[in-house]
């Protein structure tokens, strides 16, 4: 007869198959799989389905994890996002929070230019920021 298979083994095998397929899809066409505006960094390419990443790295703080994911995927409430997805609320697309003239509100503006936000470290570009990150 057929050997008994435990629930844990079956679950593990299904997860391994799914991660293997995700890895193949991502390797075949990274821009299509991850998106054109996804931050490019090896740490963000890890295909982990268990929820340990990035929660573990960010101390398990849900609000911080949410900000992190919105930043990586460029789905933060910025003017660029509002223009791209055409919100019906006619929300502003220019940042007026900082000193100086209004600037187009993008992820890069928030991360590198806007003096309204406090930063622990200063970087001048996405590449500079990503270069400063360890690979988790």
């Amino acid at each position: 007869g057929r050997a008994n298979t435990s629930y844990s083994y079956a679950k593990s095998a299904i997860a391994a198959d799914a991660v293997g397929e995700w890895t193949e899809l991502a390797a075949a066409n990274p821009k299509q799989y991850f998106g054109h505006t996804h931050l490019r960094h090896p740490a963000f390419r890890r295909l982990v389905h268990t929820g340990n990443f990035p929660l573990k790295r960010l101390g398990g703080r849900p609000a911080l994890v949410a900000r992190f994911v919105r930043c990586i995927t460029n789905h933060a409430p910025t003017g660029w996002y509002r223009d791209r997805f055409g919100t019906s609320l006619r929300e502003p697309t220019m940042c007026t929070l900082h000193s100086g003239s209004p600037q187009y509100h993008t992820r890069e503006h928030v991360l590198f230019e806007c003096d309204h936000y406090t930063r622990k470290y200063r970087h001048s570009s996405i590449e500079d920021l990503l270069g400063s990150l360890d690979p988790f």
Side-chain angles (χ1 to χ4, degrees), residues 31-32 34-38 70 72-88 91-93 104-107:
K31 278 193 173 182
Q32 182 178 3
F34 289 105
H36 296 282
T37 61
H38 191 278
R70 286 193 305 256
I72 289 172
T73 61
N74 213 3
H75 281 71
T78 62
W80 180 89
Y81 178 85
R82 292 177 187 122
D83 278 346
R84 181 167 185 235
F85 293 100
T87 62
S88 61
E91 296 174 278
T93 59
Y104 190 53
H105 197 212
T106 63
R107 169 178 60 194

Side-chain angles (χ1 to χ4, degrees), residues 93-128:
T93 59
M94 301 299 281
C95 177
T96 57
L97 298 172
H98 62 278
S99 58
S101 61
Q103 298 288 319
Y104 190 53
H105 197 212
T106 63
R107 169 178 60 194
E108 288 74 13
H109 172 73
V110 171
L111 289 174
F112 308 117
E113 301 163 2
C114 190
D115 60 16
H116 175 74
Y117 301 97
T118 303
R119 296 169 186 84
K120 187 172 182 179
Y121 303 103
R122 283 266 177 207
H123 301 285
S124 59
S125 67
I126 291 286
E127 291 74 25
D128 185 31

Side-chain angles (χ1 to χ4, degrees), residues 15-92:
D17 287 347
V19 170
E21 287 182 32
W22 294 340
T23 302
E24 288 175 20
L25 288 169
N29 192 343
K31 278 193 173 182
Q32 182 178 3
Y33 186 80
F34 289 105
H36 296 282
T37 61
H38 191 278
L39 287 180
R40 309 286 189 249
H41 188 268
F44 308 143
R45 299 280 189 200
R46 287 183 44 204
L47 300 172
V48 179
H49 70 288
T50 60
N52 290 337
F53 175 81
L55 291 174
K56 187 175 183 180
R57 173 75 175 175
L58 299 173
R61 295 175 287 178
L64 187 57
V65 171
R67 285 187 207 143
F68 177 77
V69 170
R70 286 193 305 256
C71 179
I72 289 172
T73 61
N74 213 3
H75 281 71
T78 62
W80 180 89
Y81 178 85
R82 292 177 187 122
D83 278 346
R84 181 167 185 235
F85 293 100
T87 62
S88 61
L89 302 175
R90 298 193 196 284
E91 296 174 278

